[in-house]
Amino acid sequence: MLETRNLDKSFGAVHVTRNVSLKLERGERRVILGPNGAGKTTLFNQLVGELTPDSGSVHLAGEDVTALPVAKRARRGLSRSYQKNTLFDGLTVEENLGLAAAVHTGHATRLWSDSLSKPEVREIVGEVAEQVKLMPFLHAKVSEISYGVRRQLEVGVALATRPLVLLMDEPTSGVGPEMSKGFHDLLNNLPRDLTMLIIEHDMDLAFDVADTITVLNYGEVVFDGLPEKARGSSLLKEIYLGSWENA
Amino acid sequence: MFRHNTLRYVALILLAAGALFQAFTAEYFGLEILTEILILAMLVLALDIVAGFGGMVSLCHGALMGGGAYAYAIFTTKAGIAPPVAMAGAIALTGAAAWVIGAIGSRSHGIYFIMATLAFGQMAYSYVFETPIFGGDDGLGGISRLDLSFIGVDLNDSRSFALFCLAVLGTVYGTSVVILRSGLGRSLTGVMHNEQRMRALGLTVWRVKADVFGLSGMIAGLAGALAAQHIMYISPGLLSWTVSGEALVVVILGGLGTLVGPLIGAAAFVVLKHELSSVTTYWHLVVGVILIAVVMSRANGIFGWIEARWGDRLDRRLADATRKTEEVLTDA
Ligand SMILES: Nc1ncnc2c1ncn2[C@@H]1O[C@H](COP(=O)(O)OP(=O)(O)OP(=O)(O)O)[C@@H](O)[C@H]1O
Ligand SMILES: [Mg+2]
């Protein structure tokens, strides 16, 4: 469904992505682990097209999309959420979801009708609000909801384009353990055929949702495999101890 | 997202009533001022659409309006094209020019976008100024108005022309609302709030900006074609960047992104200009002080200030009243 081949990227002398090859099957839920600065977000940026890799390629549903701009990749079914909330701040939760659903349904560029009141758009907004538990907040502005709820909306907006592949950059970053757990239940309840790539810091939570795990360190894939294997690996123990430098 | 609230409807009704009253009771000079307000109102609506709902602060809207005026003048006086066709042509031309400016400017933001639009405006200004067919500094005269005699209206009469402009302004307002409430308009507002996210969702951002800028340019062109008919004489000064600057002042004075505010701003600005300039040659100074006061007050212009105070309250009162009426009706 989503594949990278020998992706490589440097910022000046800093080599942030080193020969990364990943392959996600349809419906696969893969968690990316790695310490701060490992290049996880930079990898996402290359996957969606916000950054151009120095070399290597990105493939979506069997097609090479490396040369496609962000919007075109998105329209082919690639959607992402951000590590730092990237929402429509002055607007309501409903409008945030509606703008995304409007793009997906093709109503976002029409002049003769209101995208937000279209039945197809409203249907998606309702479904997504249900999926990410935003029903009680639909009419609240982003500025009026709590940080945790904003994190839910961050994923909701990405989901409202009805993607084939959903990339989530630390969806639970900054929220408490209670809410974090709820978040993972929510992810587990998403449709099984949705392919997901999730950057996560908390290992236990990662094991909650992961079919497969990739570990990045200094821009390099240092582990790629099943969670059971990862659990036993000495490498991941190092993450627990937080002493990656010695790994 | 644009929406009407009770206060906005009330303001619109008051404005329309005021304009109608003025149109039927005023003498020649009052009618001229009214028409000037109505045409300026169209220009500032065009500007508010892009600046207030798309974050595209333009300093070329004066030039677009001037372009519309010159196009209409050339089409009718030099090419012998019938006024209605000439108006349609002028609108199409400025719309196309604005679309191109919007497309090229779509990649730049903030001050850089402003500078890009300023550059386009200045290019248009010097082109008109230097090209002989446009009459250079002398401008063009002998411009005729639309002929509506087939419905018994003589637009050469100031009152009829003012009423005609009022009707056009009403249509322009309605069109602006349609644009802002459309999928395109909603997406533009999304882009203003977060361009990166809209792109990540799959929106071709530059197209949305260009399309709305083009539509806004059409409205500016229409205002220009009417301005040419109003004064019946045009000069390059119409394309000057100061016209764009004034339009921006009016939008900010009235309330950026409120659509109703700029209408109030246009009326306030023109009335102030005429009242003050008859008293002092320093009227710009007074307008400047007022603008500074408005900006310093941190309110969103005159209408923004009113709305912050009474907007919600009025809606709540109305909701209460409706509920009570319903209760009374169901009891009965
Ligand atoms: N635009 C940029 N220019 C220069 N260096 C950058 C840029 N973006 C990221 N980097 C560097 O690349 C490295 C990887 O950053 P990245 O944000 O991908 O890490 P990460 O794994 O997402 O970390 P975190 O867990 O803190 O989010 C860091 O050293 C960062 O400073
Ligand atoms: Mg990161």
Side-chain angles (χ1 to χ4, degrees):
Chain A
M1 201 67 214
L2 180 68
E3 191 182 345
T4 68
R5 293 187 196 148
N6 311 105
L7 222 52
D8 223 88
K9 176 86 190 171
S10 297
F11 292 114
V14 194
H15 204 167
V16 286
T17 307
R18 297 170 193 251
N19 200 31
V20 170
S21 297
L22 284 177
K23 194 166 178 177
L24 277 86
E25 300 300 335
R26 180 151 191 256
E28 183 176 336
R29 298 173 173 191
R30 184 182 288 259
V31 168
I32 298 186
L33 292 168
N36 286 342
K40 305 180 295 292
T41 299
T42 310
L43 176 65
F44 265 27
N45 291 342
Q46 292 169 79
L47 291 175
V48 298
E50 288 182 10
L51 266 180
T52 317
D54 296 337
S55 62
S57 56
V58 179
H59 304 256
L60 180 64
E63 272 184 83
D64 187 342
V65 296
T66 321
L68 287 187
V70 177
K72 280 199 179 148
R73 289 191 208 190
R75 289 202 293 272
R76 292 199 181 186
L78 189 61
S79 192
R80 77 169 295 181
S81 73
Y82 292 83
Q83 184 170 358
K84 188 169 166 290
N85 285 339
T86 302
L87 299 166
F88 307 105
D89 281 344
L91 307 182
T92 64
V93 169
E94 189 177 32
E95 288 165 342
N96 269 265
L97 298 173
L99 284 174
V103 178
H104 174 66
T105 53
H107 292 295
T109 52
R110 305 239 169 104
L111 183 56
W112 295 117
S113 60
D114 181 357
S115 50
L116 300 185
S117 56
K118 283 278 158 195
E120 306 99 282
V121 171
R122 300 192 64 87
E123 194 185 314
I124 294 180
V125 169
E127 279 172 23
V128 172
E130 201 71 65
Q131 283 174 327
V132 295
K133 304 191 166 59
L134 286 172
M135 271 304 186
F137 309 104
L138 277 181
H139 300 291
K141 281 193 177 167
V142 171
S143 55
E144 296 162 356
I145 58 178
S146 71
Y147 176 78
V149 178
R150 283 184 215 180
R151 287 311 281 164
Q152 281 161 249
L153 179 59
E154 178 67 32
V155 171
V157 170
L159 263 177
T161 60
R162 289 274 166 256
L164 299 170
V165 181
L166 177 61
L167 312 180
M168 285 172 277
D169 196 345
E170 299 194 25
T172 63
S173 85
V175 307
E178 225 14 64
M179 204 156 184
S180 199
K181 183 77 183 70
F183 219 102
H184 282 250
D185 292 342
L186 171 165
L187 292 183
N188 276 324
N189 286 328
L190 291 179
R192 221 23 263 203
D193 59 349
L194 176 64
T195 310
M196 295 197 268
L197 187 59
I198 310 160
I199 297 176
E200 181 55 76
H201 254 141
D202 189 321
M203 281 246 286
D204 284 338
L205 289 171
F207 288 127
D208 247 15
V209 283
D211 295 329
T212 47
I213 287 194
T214 296
V215 182
L216 275 184
N217 193 25
Y218 293 113
E220 206 173 2
V221 176
V222 290
F223 177 87
D224 185 334
L226 298 173
E228 301 83 72
K229 284 241 181 84
R231 214 187 275 276
S233 93
S234 58
L235 211 57
L236 282 215
K237 293 218 175 74
E238 298 289 342
I239 306 185
Y240 268 125
L241 299 172
S243 53
W244 272 84
E245 286 70 26
N246 311 323
Chain B
M1 291 289 160
F2 179 78
R3 64 173 64 80
H4 277 120
N5 52 28
T6 316
L7 185 66
R8 290 185 182 184
Y9 282 125
V10 170
L12 282 173
I13 291 168
L14 290 178
L15 283 169
L20 278 171
F21 178 79
Q22 179 78 357
F24 282 111
T25 59
E27 295 303 316
Y28 175 78
F29 191 61
L31 290 168
E32 290 303 295
I33 292 182
L34 175 62
T35 307
E36 194 182 332
I37 293 173
L38 296 172
I39 292 173
L40 178 63
M42 294 175 209
L43 178 67
V44 294
L45 281 181
L47 185 57
D48 197 28
I49 291 174
V50 291
F53 298 89
M56 295 187 280
V57 178
S58 159
L59 275 184
C60 70
H61 266 61
L64 288 169
M65 172 161 126
Y70 267 92
Y72 177 80
I74 297 281
F75 289 163
T76 50
T77 63
K78 309 258 161 149
I81 294 170
V85 183
M87 268 184 89
I91 293 169
L93 204 69
T94 47
W99 191 90
V100 172
I101 295 172
I104 295 173
S106 67
R107 294 201 165 274
S108 48
H109 301 93
I111 191 86
Y112 300 100
F113 183 83
I114 298 177
M115 287 301 118
T117 55
L118 177 65
F120 279 113
Q122 289 304 90
M123 277 156 63
Y125 172 77
S126 50
Y127 178 72
V128 166
F129 196 84
E130 302 294 345
T131 310
I133 188 178
F134 296 118
D137 213 1
D138 297 335
L140 291 170
I143 301 161
S144 53
R145 292 182 179 175
L146 276 180
D147 183 3
L148 292 184
S149 56
F150 63 95
I151 51 164
V153 175
D154 177 15
L155 286 187
N156 288 314
D157 167 56
S158 308
R159 198 177 310 281
S160 304
F161 192 70
L163 282 165
F164 173 68
C165 287
L166 181 59
V168 175
L169 176 60
T171 313
V172 166
Y173 184 85
T175 309
S176 307
V177 171
V178 168
I179 294 172
L180 293 174
R181 279 199 188 146
S182 69
L184 193 69
R186 303 289 194 205
S187 296
L188 183 77
T189 301
V191 168
M192 176 170 77
H193 281 95
N194 197 332
E195 182 166 335
Q196 180 193 14
R197 191 66 190 253
M198 278 315 275
R199 194 172 282 122
L201 292 173
L203 189 77
T204 309
V205 170
W206 76 266
R207 256 311 285 275
V208 169
K209 287 187 178 179
D211 286 356
V212 180
F213 209 79
L215 290 166
S216 167
M218 289 172 78
I219 296 174
L222 169 65
L226 288 174
Q229 293 176 54
H230 178 214
I231 325 166
M232 297 173 164
Y233 159 80
I234 51 175
S235 64
L238 212 56
L239 285 88
S240 155
W241 74 273
T242 54
V243 177
S244 305
E246 254 175 31
L248 202 55
V249 166
V250 169
V251 169
I252 293 168
L253 203 65
L256 183 73
T258 61
L259 226 51
V260 180
L263 298 178
I264 297 172
F269 184 83
V270 173
V271 169
L272 215 61
K273 181 171 94 176
H274 285 287
E275 292 300 316
L276 288 175
S277 60
S278 61
V279 188
T280 164
T281 48
Y282 294 111
W283 73 273
H284 269 116
L285 220 67
V286 182
V287 173
V289 170
I290 294 175
L291 186 69
I292 290 169
V294 166
V295 172
M296 296 291 286
S297 77
R298 285 160 166 265
N300 181 20
I302 301 169
F303 191 68
W305 183 78
I306 297 174
E307 211 161 48
R309 277 169 185 248
W310 292 293
D312 287 346
R313 211 183 296 174
L314 210 60
D315 273 343
R316 251 179 284 129
R317 285 259 171 88
L318 198 77
D320 284 351
T322 349
R323 209 185 48 238
K324 278 192 192 127
T325 330
E326 273 168 6
E327 277 167 17
V328 172
L329 285 177
T330 43
D331 285 351

